Amino acid sequence: MSKEFLGEFEELVLTMVAALQEDAYGAAIAEEIETRLKRDVNLSAVHVTLYRLEDKGYIKSSLGGATNERGGRRKRIFTITSAGMSMLKAMKDARLDLWKLVPQLKMITG
Amino acid sequence: MFQEHLMNNNKPHPPKAALRLLSWFCPTELYEEIEGDLIYQFNKDVKTVGEKKAKQKVLLNVIRFFRPGILLRNRITIPLIPIYMLFNYLKVAVRVMLRNKSYSFINLFSLALGITAFAFLFLWTQHEFSYDQFHTDKDRLYKVFNRTYTNGKINSWDVTARVLAPTLQEEYTAIESAISYTAWGEQHLFIEGDKRIVKTTGAYADDAILTMFSFPLIKGDAKTAFKDPMSIAITEKFAQELFDEEDAFGKTVTIGEGSESFTLNVTAVLKDLPSNTDFRFEYIIPYKLVEMLSGKNTQWGNNSVYTFVKLKEGTDINQFNEQVKDVVQKHNKDADQWEVFLYPLTKMRLYSRFENGVPDGGRIEVVRLLAMLGICLLAIACINFINLSTARAQRRSKEVAVRKVTGALRNSLIAQFLCESLLLAFGAGVLSLVAVYMGLPYFNQLISLHLTLEFTNLNFWVGGLLLIILVGLLAGSYPAFYVSAFKPVKILKGLVISATGKSRLRAVLVVFQFGIAITLMVSVFVVQRQIAYLQNRDAGYNKEHLVYQYFTGSLKKNFEAYKNELLARGVAQSITKTSTPITDRWSNSDAMEWEGKDPENKTLFERIYADDAFATTAGLTVVRGRDMDPEKYATDSTAVVINESAAKAMGFDDPIGKRIRDNGTEWHIIGVVKDFILTSPWGQVEPVLLFGCVNSWPFSVAHIKLSAHHTLQENLQVMAELSKKYNPDYPFEYEFVDAAYARKFADLETTRTITLVASFLTIAIAGMGLLGLSSYMVEVRVKEIGIRKVMGGSVFSITRMLTWSSLKPILIAVIVFGPQAWWVMNWWLSSYPYRISVGLFTIPLAALSIIGLAVIITSTQTIRAARTNPVNSLRNE
């Protein structure tokens, strides 16, 4: 498991899936990234990444309900698997370990 | 759904086309959610950026989904079945073909023959249609024709006065340029270094020739090439002949020699003319030069050049023809009822025959006929396939039934059989590609052209492929529908489909095949007989040992000495110098006058000038009076010998001593000779006048009757020796009159070869089909034959019965197509004034040979079947 790595965008999407829980589907994730990170993402990139993560076994999916905004189309709700969760954790820990190596400088204000 | 409709009515909705595009490439299992997300996004965008922008964004988003991460998620499951089945079809097709090698061979080979013949004829037809179509301004290019009224009939002809072109240019503003053009085949001697080349392939033309037409220039400026009269334009090939590999442009070349020589600058080098043009020249000499040397020809009555015209853009040709028609009348008081009109250059090749003043086809008829022949040959080959596969369908019935029972749709069965025919057509196509490639040199020789296969041209391959697919579909579609319609229940129950050759369609197709075969057979007979008839026609003169020699260089000057020495050495019996070879027309007139001439009489008389005893030299038969002999009779310088037709046309009972006025001279008739053929061996004999003449200007050729005391070799050797002596600068050239005469048959002989080859092919293909059908019929009826034998039928009666059933369609073909063949051949013959009649026996003869052939083909199968021991055919089952 530790041999596998996630790209930056993959990690971001995976985190989003974990965060949004029942509301994790393509358009919502894209929207969330856009509003929270002020970062332009395009829908197809999110979809492709979701499918790739599903292939790798970090998330699983099932078809959920339809809404008016979606023209009656159902959404595919993604949920994070335990493998995904531990991957995310491992990545976060590794990141923190590395962060500790950085000399903690005081922020200079002004 | 209800909700959705409501929503659609109130709210903007994303563009359907974009979503359809998505559905086309998006995997089905992902489609719904992606679409949903897109709609969600769209609805959000409508609020923020407006409907129009939102729609654009949808399309953009859809396009963004067109990426490998999505595309590769398509499981390739949908087309898997057809491809898998396709392999199965091909496998079965190959197995079926291998199982029946002889049938496959017949099918493949006859299709290949048909396609090959079609391809050849197509190449030729295409070439015919491309004549003079390469000129950039082809739609504004015209040739000038005359329309004259004689004896109540309108004649249209294209030889005009030299002065017409400059007059048109000067007087009509709608004309951009007008030129005179001639390619008379005059001899020119070119001298370059120590090279001496005699050419007859030159043209005289006005300056604008290079700008009017689009003959590609390699070097030189089309606009200014002929600014100086002392210039010449030559083709690449001729340039190479003159200057080898050196650049000809800007070099000088000398024409003629002694006092009559000129040095011309090569001011333009042209690409060799393509084969699809009716212009034929290797060099162009400007008319300016000719006129500088021999003066301007401003006579309106002297029509000897072609005139080409380029109109200004936007000129209406009909209106212009109205304006221009009286141009000759205005300048020539003698030419009442003489009109001029312009005819498109692009129509000259195929549509340039006029009947009573209106265009009436031309070469296009031959092109159409041959195109039809090509299509017929292809059809005949397809018919073989149709007949053999429907006849043999029973063999495939079990396969069809099993496929149907296991769930095959009719469409997939049709697809299967079409696959088979396409495969076969493809095989045949490859075979015929090889055949066309190998046969093209022979075909080119036959039609004296240089056609090539354009392997690098995409159109060639696309066209070829389309042809093959067309052939495959044509040949395969009927069998495919026929076979795929079998009812599996009947077949599997053991009910046998009748396939004893009793299909009406099959019979009709065989009738068609053999109908064409009989038509072609008749045409072979008729063409052959017509050629023989024409070749046996009495030319009216003795072609044997008769040679003519053009006056080149100093031969004309030294003619008397040359003549005397030839006579003295016993090489020649008699020598006459004349204006033209006896096989060509040179000059004619309808304005001759004689005592008691009816002013309405506009008979065209051919002129030949001869210095001495032409009747003796050419072996003409003098029926009245005497031959010319200026040595004995001083008055023979104005004597004329006429032929019988001329005497008749002038209405003389006793022509001797009568006077004729022509060109301002008065001539007296001293003799009448039997009619002889001047131009065409199938035409009416023209009225000809042989004028005596002491001046030397008209003479261009010497006729020499060689002595029979020496062999031809010896005679020619002496001639060569003396030619070298009296005309040292020019090569020794001569022509036998019988060879020149035989050349008149070239076109007819091509027709003969084409009909011969086409009828051979037709009979070969149809014969192969017949062989296949009869052998199959015998196979199917093997039990019947066995039973008949057991019941006491004789080999002869059984053979007769079987043969008869195969022959019936052929007999019908003879009856149906025989009269039509007769009619076609009558039509063909009608263009030859001197002709055979089709003849009562031609059609029965052709019919008999076809039927005979068919009997031989079928009896190879039927006799064998009738002789087999019935035990072999009846013992099992």
Side-chain angles (χ1 to χ4, degrees):
Chain A
M1 190 69 76
S2 55
K3 288 275 178 279
E4 279 219 41
F5 297 100
L6 288 181
E8 187 267 347
F9 194 68
E10 280 177 313
E11 190 192 343
L12 188 63
V13 171
L14 187 58
T15 319
M16 254 22 227
V17 171
L20 289 172
Q21 293 182 11
E22 259 87 270
D23 217 18
Y25 63 95
I29 292 170
E31 202 177 16
E32 208 59 27
I33 293 175
E34 268 172 34
T35 48
R36 284 185 186 275
L37 300 185
K38 307 275 179 283
R39 171 172 167 175
D40 234 6
V41 288
N42 81 58
L43 212 51
S44 64
V46 175
H47 275 270
V48 170
T49 311
L50 284 170
Y51 302 144
R52 203 182 310 134
L53 288 171
E54 193 177 9
D55 288 346
K56 288 178 178 173
Y58 298 133
I59 54 179
K60 58 187 184 199
S61 71
S62 60
L63 284 175
T67 59
N68 248 350
E69 289 82 24
R70 302 178 54 82
R73 271 58 158 189
R74 286 175 298 172
K75 20 181 143 149
R76 183 178 292 272
I77 305 293
F78 292 89
T79 42
I80 191 158
T81 60
S82 41
M85 207 60 191
S86 61
M87 180 70 183
L88 212 52
K89 272 212 180 92
M91 284 191 77
K92 197 203 89 186
D93 292 344
R95 194 71 51 83
L96 273 177
D97 284 347
L98 290 177
W99 186 243
K100 281 175 192 151
L101 297 181
V102 179
Q104 296 295 308
L105 299 171
K106 266 200 174 158
M107 288 278 210
I108 298 157
T109 48
Chain B
M1 286 309 262
F2 178 63
Q3 238 179 355
E4 189 185 351
H5 277 290
L6 262 185
M7 185 187 71
N8 278 354
N9 288 340
N10 304 331
K11 279 190 184 170
H13 46 87
K16 283 230 172 67
L19 295 180
R20 205 174 310 131
L21 178 68
L22 179 71
S23 76
W24 173 68
F25 65 80
C26 177
T28 16
E29 68 271 19
L30 303 179
Y31 179 69
E32 185 177 348
E33 41 146 338
I34 292 179
E35 193 191 31
D37 280 2
L38 283 173
I39 294 170
Y40 176 80
Q41 183 85 39
F42 170 76
N43 287 330
K44 212 175 71 187
D45 287 343
V46 169
K47 284 176 204 145
T48 51
V49 294
E51 188 180 337
K52 205 171 149 208
K53 265 265 174 72
K55 279 187 175 168
Q56 287 169 2
K57 276 184 108 175
V58 170
L59 185 64
L60 196 69
N61 272 328
V62 166
I63 291 168
R64 278 186 182 144
F65 271 101
F66 193 85
R67 54 196 285 173
I70 300 292
L71 290 179
L72 293 181
R73 275 170 206 280
N74 278 305
R75 305 262 173 276
I76 308 171
T77 48
I78 310 129
L80 196 64
I81 302 159
I83 284 177
Y84 173 72
M85 287 312 287
L86 205 64
F87 281 120
N88 178 276
Y89 295 161
L90 291 181
K91 194 194 278 171
V92 171
V94 169
R95 284 176 184 168
V96 168
M97 278 191 217
L98 289 180
R99 195 167 60 210
N100 306 298
K101 290 198 185 66
S102 55
Y103 291 102
S104 312
F105 176 77
I106 288 175
N107 271 337
L108 193 71
F109 204 66
S110 54
L111 265 188
L113 274 183
I115 294 175
T116 308
F118 179 83
F120 276 133
L121 290 170
F122 179 79
L123 282 175
W124 179 77
T125 316
Q126 202 188 25
H127 185 261
E128 283 294 319
F129 275 107
S130 71
Y131 263 76
D132 283 314
Q133 304 292 331
F134 59 87
H135 303 291
T136 322
D137 301 315
K138 59 175 180 169
D139 299 327
R140 293 193 279 139
L141 292 172
Y142 295 88
K143 195 176 192 183
V144 181
F145 271 70
N146 302 303
R147 197 189 284 135
T148 52
Y149 299 79
T150 35
N151 303 335
K153 264 181 70 182
I154 307 173
N155 292 319
S156 303
W157 41 290
D158 58 359
V159 192
T160 56
R162 158 66 186 132
V163 66
L164 180 65
T167 310
L168 287 173
Q169 176 95 62
E170 212 167 286
E171 295 179 10
Y172 293 87
T173 47
I175 284 177
E176 190 174 302
S177 47
I179 60 158
S180 297
Y181 171 89
T182 52
W184 283 320
E186 204 172 312
Q187 274 194 338
H188 294 114
L189 171 71
F190 287 86
I191 300 171
E192 158 59 28
D194 39 335
K195 262 189 221 153
R196 321 174 74 84
I197 303 171
V198 177
K199 285 270 173 191
T200 57
T201 47
Y204 296 133
D206 282 316
D207 306 3
I209 184 169
L210 294 179
T211 46
M212 257 170 96
F213 303 107
S214 310
F215 304 119
L217 279 173
I218 293 173
K219 245 185 177 173
D221 182 1
K223 286 200 191 80
T224 57
F226 293 129
K227 214 169 180 181
D228 179 49
M230 302 305 276
S231 44
I232 184 171
I234 61 179
T235 62
E236 202 180 358
K237 191 174 139 235
F238 185 35
Q240 223 164 46
E241 247 179 280
L242 279 172
F243 304 105
D244 298 318
E245 296 307 313
E246 288 169 56
D247 187 4
F249 183 71
K251 288 231 167 52
T252 57
V253 61
T254 309
I255 296 190
E257 63 194 316
S259 59
E260 286 180 11
S261 80
F262 319 97
T263 304
L264 303 183
N265 291 315
V266 178
T267 49
V269 182
L270 295 157
K271 267 224 174 85
D272 291 335
L273 294 190
S275 64
N276 56 354
T277 174
D278 274 326
F279 291 91
R280 284 277 159 265
F281 54 78
E282 284 189 289
Y283 52 95
I284 308 172
I285 296 172
Y287 248 111
K288 274 195 274 193
L289 176 63
V290 182
E291 289 179 335
M292 219 172 71
L293 299 171
S294 51
K296 276 198 168 145
N297 176 358
T298 53
Q299 285 181 324
W300 281 92
N302 185 344
N303 293 289
S304 54
V305 306
Y306 296 127
T307 303
F308 290 98
V309 157
K310 184 188 209 171
L311 292 181
K312 285 193 179 137
E313 244 165 303
T315 311
D316 183 74
I317 178 64
N318 294 325
Q319 272 174 21
F320 185 73
N321 267 338
E322 261 324 293
Q323 288 171 29
V324 82
K325 79 179 177 191
D326 55 354
V327 60
V328 174
Q329 288 177 37
K330 272 198 280 186
H331 293 89
N332 186 2
K333 296 289 163 280
D334 299 334
D336 53 334
Q337 295 189 316
W338 185 309
E339 290 178 357
V340 155
F341 66 97
L342 269 49
Y343 196 67
L345 177 73
T346 48
K347 284 192 166 182
M348 280 305 297
R349 175 71 180 178
L350 296 176
Y351 304 91
S352 59
R353 194 176 62 216
F354 290 84
E355 194 64 52
N356 215 14
V358 286
D360 180 49
R363 198 176 168 79
I364 186 72
E365 283 154 16
V366 182
V367 173
R368 281 201 198 115
L369 213 65
L370 288 182
M372 237 163 68
L373 186 68
I375 292 169
C376 281
L377 280 167
L378 197 60
I380 287 172
C382 288
I383 286 174
N384 268 3
F385 182 84
I386 294 173
N387 279 351
L388 287 180
S389 26
T390 52
R392 298 182 56 78
Q394 196 204 5
R395 285 296 171 93
R396 307 291 298 275
S397 61
K398 288 236 164 68
E399 182 197 334
V400 171
V402 169
R403 277 185 192 269
K404 278 196 166 180
V405 166
T406 48
L409 298 173
R410 186 168 175 204
N411 280 348
S412 57
L413 283 167
I414 290 174
Q416 179 192 352
F417 286 101
L418 283 181
C419 261
E420 283 181 20
S421 65
L422 284 173
L423 185 73
L424 195 82
F426 191 75
V430 172
L431 273 184
S432 55
L433 183 68
V434 175
V436 170
Y437 180 72
M438 311 248 283
L440 203 57
Y442 303 99
F443 184 67
N444 278 335
Q445 211 170 20
L446 173 68
I447 58 173
S448 33
L449 276 177
H450 190 73
L451 302 180
T452 48
L453 291 177
E454 292 170 49
F455 287 116
T456 49
N457 191 340
L458 187 67
N459 285 345
F460 168 79
W461 294 105
V462 172
L465 204 65
L466 279 180
L467 174 71
I468 285 168
I469 290 172
L470 187 78
V471 167
L473 291 181
L474 269 181
S477 53
Y478 178 72
F481 282 98
Y482 177 80
V483 177
S484 64
F486 287 160
K487 296 268 178 295
V489 176
K490 282 191 190 164
I491 293 165
L492 294 179
K493 256 176 149 181
L495 291 174
V496 176
I497 294 158
S498 155
T500 46
K502 278 181 189 154
S503 149
R504 177 155 306 163
L505 180 88
R506 212 174 302 146
V508 168
L509 292 177
V510 173
V511 167
F512 173 73
Q513 279 187 316
F514 280 88
I516 291 171
I518 185 128
T519 311
L520 285 168
M521 196 85 171
V522 169
S523 63
V524 168
F525 284 162
V526 171
V527 172
Q528 175 58 40
R529 273 182 46 220
Q530 168 76 357
I531 289 180
Y533 183 65
L534 292 178
Q535 279 172 340
N536 289 333
R537 183 182 185 183
D538 182 14
Y541 56 91
N542 190 356
K543 289 171 286 197
E544 246 173 89
H545 300 301
L546 188 56
V547 174
Y548 65 78
Q549 222 181 339
Y550 277 106
F551 289 144
T552 53
S554 47
L555 197 56
K556 193 169 180 176
K557 200 174 70 196
N558 298 330
F559 174 70
E560 287 305 321
Y562 179 58
K563 173 182 171 178
N564 290 336
E565 192 156 355
L566 278 175
L567 289 172
R569 289 179 67 167
V571 170
Q573 286 179 353
S574 166
I575 300 174
T576 306
K577 59 178 175 180
T578 56
S579 49
T580 29
I582 193 167
T583 50
D584 279 323
R585 73 159 27 121
W586 173 64
S587 162
N588 52 34
S589 165
D590 61 359
M592 291 186 194
E593 283 170 37
W594 60 88
E595 299 153 46
K597 184 191 179 188
D598 173 6
E600 290 299 299
N601 190 332
K602 292 244 168 140
T603 312
L604 205 60
F605 291 93
E606 300 289 333
R607 298 185 184 106
I608 297 179
Y609 287 89
D611 71 328
D612 188 14
F614 189 52
T616 313
T617 306
L620 299 166
T621 319
V622 179
V623 287
R624 262 163 194 267
R626 58 174 176 84
D627 195 4
M628 222 168 296
D629 193 352
E631 264 175 47
K632 220 162 139 190
Y633 306 93
T635 51
D636 275 6
S637 60
T638 56
V640 59
V641 174
I642 65 176
N643 71 352
E644 286 173 317
S645 291
K648 218 168 108 192
M650 292 178 174
F652 293 144
D653 287 330
D654 181 15
I656 307 298
K658 293 280 194 309
R659 295 183 180 275
I660 299 172
R661 279 194 78 79
D662 180 40
N663 260 355
T665 314
E666 195 170 79
W667 307 80
H668 60 281
I669 300 174
I670 56 162
V672 178
V673 294
K674 241 177 87 179
D675 279 345
F676 61 95
I677 296 167
L678 183 65
T679 52
S680 86
W682 51 82
Q684 306 280 7
V685 172
E686 296 93 349
V688 184
L689 306 178
L690 301 161
F691 294 98
C693 187
V694 283
N695 299 328
S696 76
W697 65 267
F699 296 121
S700 68
V701 61
H703 280 86
I704 302 167
K705 178 74 172 180
L706 294 175
S707 158
H709 298 305
H710 306 281
T711 65
L712 208 54
Q713 231 76 41
E714 289 165 355
N715 283 339
L716 289 175
Q717 214 162 14
V718 178
M719 268 178 75
E721 187 190 309
L722 293 180
S723 282
K724 191 144 189 70
K725 181 172 161 194
Y726 290 110
N727 188 21
D729 297 321
Y730 282 77
F732 170 55
E733 278 172 342
Y734 63 94
E735 180 85 67
F736 282 99
V737 169
D738 52 2
Y741 190 80
R743 271 204 301 274
K744 294 172 187 285
F745 290 94
D747 267 3
L748 259 176
E749 269 155 9
T750 308
T751 311
R752 170 167 64 184
T753 316
I754 287 175
T755 50
L756 205 68
V757 171
S759 67
F760 172 77
L761 282 177
T762 315
I763 291 168
I765 297 172
M768 279 196 285
L770 189 68
L771 183 73
L773 277 182
S774 53
S775 89
Y776 185 68
M777 177 198 68
V778 165
E779 215 177 303
V780 171
R781 293 172 76 170
V782 67
K783 290 233 159 63
E784 180 197 334
I785 295 165
I787 293 168
R788 279 178 191 274
K789 282 197 92 171
V790 170
M791 305 299 274
S794 69
V795 171
F796 177 71
S797 69
I798 292 172
T799 309
R800 192 183 54 191
M801 176 203 74
L802 292 174
T803 309
W804 176 242
S805 66
S806 301
L807 280 186
K808 256 191 284 179
I810 294 158
L811 289 179
I812 295 172
V814 168
I815 292 163
V816 173
F817 282 79
Q820 174 256 1
W822 187 83
W823 182 83
V824 169
M825 287 332 287
N826 259 334
W827 170 81
W828 180 73
L829 281 173
S830 68
S831 60
Y832 298 89
Y834 186 81
R835 61 175 180 253
I836 53 165
S837 60
V838 176
L840 275 176
F841 296 106
T842 309
I843 289 169
L845 197 66
L848 271 183
S849 23
I850 294 256
I851 292 170
L853 207 67
V855 169
I856 293 171
I857 289 170
T858 46
S859 53
T860 54
Q861 304 298 313
T862 52
I863 291 177
R864 197 172 44 127
R867 286 172 61 133
T868 46
N869 192 341
V871 169
N872 292 333
S873 54
L874 295 178
R875 72 180 162 197
N876 47 16
E877 195 173 328

